[in-house]
Amino acid sequence: MTQERRDDIATTMGVPHSLLFANAANYATAETDKQGFYERTLIPDAETIAKQVNKQLLEPLGFRLEFKPQRMSIFQADETARAQSLLNLVNAGVRL
C-alpha cells in the first residue's frame, strides 16, 4: 500500500498521523493528538454505539451501557497538570 493511500485512510477515519506513523511528529505532538483523537473520534463513536446497544439490546433487559471517559488515564493526567498549574498560580499570589 502506498504512503498516500495510508494517509488517506487515516485521515478518513479521523486518526492523527502522529499516532500511526513514527516520522509524523514528536512525542509532545503525538500525546496532544492522542487526546484529541479520543475526544473527537473515539468517545463520540463509543457513545453512538452505546446508545444503539442500550436502545436495542440492554434497556429491554433492564441494563444500560455507560462510558466514563473522564476516568481514563489520558484524561486524569491532563486534570493533574491543570490542578498543578492552578496551585502554582495560587501559591504565587494570584487570586482566583
Side-chain angles (χ1 to χ4, degrees):
M1 183 179 292
T2 67
Q3 181 64 41
E4 184 179 351
R5 294 283 187 209
R6 287 191 295 264
D7 290 347
D8 290 345
I9 292 168
T11 300
T12 299
M13 296 187 73
V15 179
H17 295 193
S18 61
L19 298 181
L20 296 177
F21 311 119
N23 62 347
N26 62 34
Y27 178 79
T29 301
E31 285 301 304
T32 301
D33 287 351
K34 182 178 178 181
Q35 185 168 349
F37 177 56
Y38 276 78
E39 291 172 344
R40 291 186 297 275
T41 303
L42 291 182
I43 293 170
D45 287 354
E47 289 173 348
T48 299
I49 292 167
K51 182 178 178 181
Q52 292 305 313
V53 169
N54 285 334
K55 181 179 176 182
Q56 297 176 28
L57 180 65
L58 297 178
E59 287 175 355
L61 300 172
F63 297 103
R64 179 169 175 71
L65 179 63
E66 184 177 326
F67 290 100
K68 297 189 179 188
Q70 67 278 10
R71 292 185 176 181
M72 296 173 68
S73 61
I74 188 170
F75 296 111
Q76 290 295 317
D78 188 48
E79 285 302 314
T80 300
R82 287 185 202 186
Q84 185 61 48
S85 295
L86 179 60
L87 179 62
N88 291 340
L89 288 172
V90 171
N91 288 341
V94 175
R95 300 182 83 189
L96 294 178

